[in-house]
Structures are given as structure tokens and as C-alpha cells.
Amino acid sequence: MGWISWGNWNDWGEWSDAPRMLDTLGSTYGDCIEVIAALEVEVSYAIWLPLTQNWLYQCRLNSLGKVRLKPEMPPYVAGWGSYCSTINLEKVESGDPAFRFSQDSTASNFGAFPHEGDHPDYSPVYDALLVLVSAGLSKMNAYVAFGLTAVQVISALCGEPDDTINEAERLMAEYEYPEYPVNGSFSPESSCWYCWEIRANSNDYVTFTLEYDFGAYEFLNPPSPAQVVHLINSSTWGIPTPPPRDRMTPEEKDRYGFVELSIHDIEKQASEFGVSFEKIKGFVREEESVYILTNLEVKLESSNFTSKIEPIRHKTSDDI
């Protein structure tokens, strides 16, 4: 297979050389602002579900958003900043009747800043979150300075998405970033954290699309209407699923990073592979071993950035 182009940002080679983590950086312009987004996605592990004879894949996303005035704009003006982040996941038609999205509603699987709500205990996913945020900051800081460190970003995350769709073939989550109460402007920096799951049959190939939309607000030229500048990354992913866990050859087990977590020390072993105890406590109750894949074959089939500008549409009585 050939090279995969990410515009001017980076290039990857053959699928076999591609990392499991997708790191993207893109930018666009409004009338008065520049909008930058860094997106990190990881399909981190899969668990064998003995009852349904399926693999359950754990997927994670963290994004960083940055908005700044164009160089020709006067400094210290209000009326611009981070407005919203939207995540859309959809199944691509395949022969796998078992393919379905699912959502683990554990509080540590969500978060955004600036945002209202509680700050969850992120300790079960802290290492994975730290890796993704750090990777995003590395990309972002190579282009424009981000004010917070990875630890500060995680400390600032709070709340659940403001709007969601949780369906077997589609997931959607939207985070709305509030105005700063001090000066009536929006934050120049933002972040969101979102996790989801995919259930798939063995010996198949499942495909899904991921669309991430970072929206920035600008209202700097009255009487012109306020508008949202959207920077959108669209990607398509494919996962070749292995055989059932009891039919895997030694070579396949080695290739997929097959690991059996013994019931006698399951919590400690699970944490070493980034698997939260919430995910395996059902196995503990049934005194069953847990079988996981730690080296997944995940293929990035396509990816591109686009942008659009939309006026702010105020709600009417028809929307209520």
C-alpha cells in the first residue's frame, strides 16, 4: 500500500508501520482569528467476552483547541475563543452483524475544559489520558504555544458532554465551552476527553468513521453577525479482528499481544495494561480469567481536514 498524506503536517507509510495512536494537527482562519486543533486517538486494547463470543475494543480520544487573533488584529480585544467540540462516530456497512458501538457511562470516560460539572476521579485512566494529552501538546506546541501542561489539562477537565447520541451504529458527543465570566469572552484554549467501545465478531474486518469538529467563536466586526469557524477532521478506521481466543495460534497470540489475566492477581495485572477495574469486575464476580489483546492491528484508511464558517443562529420558539 502507498503513503497516507496528512496535508502539510505529516506522512505515514505502510499500514504495518503505522502506530496505533493517530496524531493530527490542523488549522484554519476566520475573518479575525486563527483556529488550531490537535487530535489524539488510540484504540488501546480489546477484551474477550465469553458470553457473546465477541471482542470488545476500547477506544479513546483527546483533543486540544487553540484560538488566537490574526497578527494584524489589535491585541486585548474580546469576543472570540473556543466555542464547542463535537465528535461523531458512525459504522461503515460491513458483513459483521455483531458490530455495534457502546458507551461506558463511567464518569472518568468524559471531560472537557472550560466546562461546568464535577471533576471525576481520572486515576483508572490517568496513564492513558496523560499519554494522549502529552502527545497532543507536543504537536500543538511545535506550532503554537499552549498555556497549560498535560497535568494541568487533566486537572481542569470536568463534566459530561452537553449533548449525546448513543446508538448501536452511531455515537455523538458535543461539548459546549462557556464564556469567561470576567470579560465576556471565550477561552483561547480548550480540551475534551471521550471514550467509547466497539463490539465485533472474530475473523472479520470492521470499519468506522470518526469526525471531530472544533468550533471557534468570533464577533469582532459589529454590526456583522457573530460566527463560528469550524475546523473538521474526518477519518476512516479499519480493524481486522482475530479468531476467538481459544482458536488463536501461538503466532497470532504473539502478533496481537494476547495476555491472560489470572483471577488471582487480576486487578494489579489489569492496571499494568491500562484496563480499569470497572471493566473487569464482572469477571471477578464470576471468578473467570480475562483475556485481552494489547497489540492491535488498527488501520487508518483515510483522513483529511476541512473547514467552514457559520453564523450564530439564535434559538427561536420552534426550537423549544
Side-chain angles (χ1 to χ4, degrees):
M1 295 184 182
W3 289 80
I4 301 171
S5 174
W6 289 81
N8 296 324
W9 304 113
N10 53 60
D11 291 292
W12 285 348
E14 301 289 342
W15 293 127
S16 59
D17 299 325
R20 288 179 296 151
M21 184 184 298
L22 161 67
D23 52 351
T24 64
L25 175 71
S27 68
T28 191
Y29 292 92
D31 293 339
C32 308
I33 59 174
E34 181 181 12
V35 183
I36 308 106
L39 174 66
E40 299 292 339
V41 176
E42 183 186 36
V43 184
S44 50
Y45 63 85
I47 297 178
W48 176 249
L49 303 178
L51 186 62
T52 57
Q53 298 287 290
N54 300 132
W55 291 104
L56 184 68
Y57 288 80
Q58 180 69 34
C59 310
R60 294 160 169 162
L61 172 151
N62 179 257
S63 72
L64 300 170
K66 177 84 175 185
V67 187
R68 62 178 177 177
L69 291 171
K70 290 181 177 179
E72 63 269 24
M73 292 298 299
Y76 309 116
V77 294
W80 57 276
S82 302
Y83 190 69
C84 62
S85 287
T86 305
I87 301 143
N88 265 294
L89 293 144
E90 291 194 19
K91 170 186 175 180
V92 175
E93 194 62 36
S94 72
D96 185 355
F99 181 108
R100 61 181 294 120
F101 292 116
S102 57
Q103 183 55 254
D104 184 342
S105 59
T106 304
S108 60
N109 284 336
F110 308 100
F113 98 84
H115 204 267
E116 298 177 351
D118 298 326
H119 177 71
D121 175 15
Y122 287 114
S123 59
V125 294
Y126 190 88
D127 289 344
L129 182 52
L130 183 63
V131 167
L132 292 181
V133 175
S134 298
L137 285 175
S138 178
K139 282 287 178 182
M140 179 72 77
N141 287 328
Y143 184 77
V144 58
F146 201 84
L148 301 182
T149 66
V151 173
Q152 289 171 329
V153 169
I154 298 172
S155 298
L157 295 174
C158 64
E160 297 183 359
D162 296 286
D163 191 16
T164 59
I165 295 175
N166 297 320
E167 298 175 353
E169 297 188 1
R170 183 192 174 198
L171 295 177
M172 187 279 290
E174 181 177 51
Y175 296 90
E176 299 174 357
Y177 303 123
E179 294 184 34
Y180 272 10
V182 177
N183 58 10
S185 186
F186 289 85
S187 170
E189 298 178 340
S190 59
S191 178
C192 76
W193 163 249
Y194 181 76
C195 302
W196 73 97
E197 300 168 336
I198 295 175
R199 184 176 303 207
N201 272 337
S202 303
N203 293 321
D204 213 313
Y205 188 88
V206 296
T207 311
F208 66 96
T209 59
L210 165 63
E211 181 181 275
Y212 172 74
D213 182 341
F214 174 52
Y217 176 94
E218 66 174 0
F219 184 40
L220 301 175
N221 290 322
S224 298
Q227 61 187 19
V228 179
V229 182
H230 295 270
L231 178 60
I232 304 163
N233 178 262
S234 301
S235 57
T236 301
W237 296 74
I239 302 176
T241 63
R245 65 96 182 166
D246 56 347
R247 298 180 190 173
M248 295 178 71
T249 66
E251 292 78 13
E252 287 172 328
K253 289 182 177 181
D254 183 65
R255 186 194 338 150
Y256 285 99
F258 180 89
V259 177
E260 177 181 357
L261 306 182
S262 170
I263 189 63
H264 302 295
D265 200 17
I266 194 168
E267 188 169 0
K268 179 182 177 182
Q269 292 181 64
S271 65
E272 293 175 357
F273 294 100
V275 181
S276 69
F277 183 70
E278 287 294 317
K279 191 63 57 185
I280 60 172
K281 63 182 182 182
F283 293 88
V284 176
R285 284 197 304 267
E286 300 298 325
E287 296 188 350
E288 294 182 2
S289 296
V290 178
Y291 302 94
I292 64 174
L293 306 177
T294 62
N295 185 32
L296 300 174
E297 293 187 64
V298 181
K299 300 181 178 182
L300 177 63
E301 298 188 345
S302 65
S303 177
N304 68 287
F305 277 102
T306 57
S307 62
K308 64 180 180 179
I309 298 178
E310 294 182 330
I312 296 289
R313 188 179 76 87
H314 297 288
K315 287 187 177 181
T316 67
S317 57
D318 295 334
D319 299 319
I320 300 175

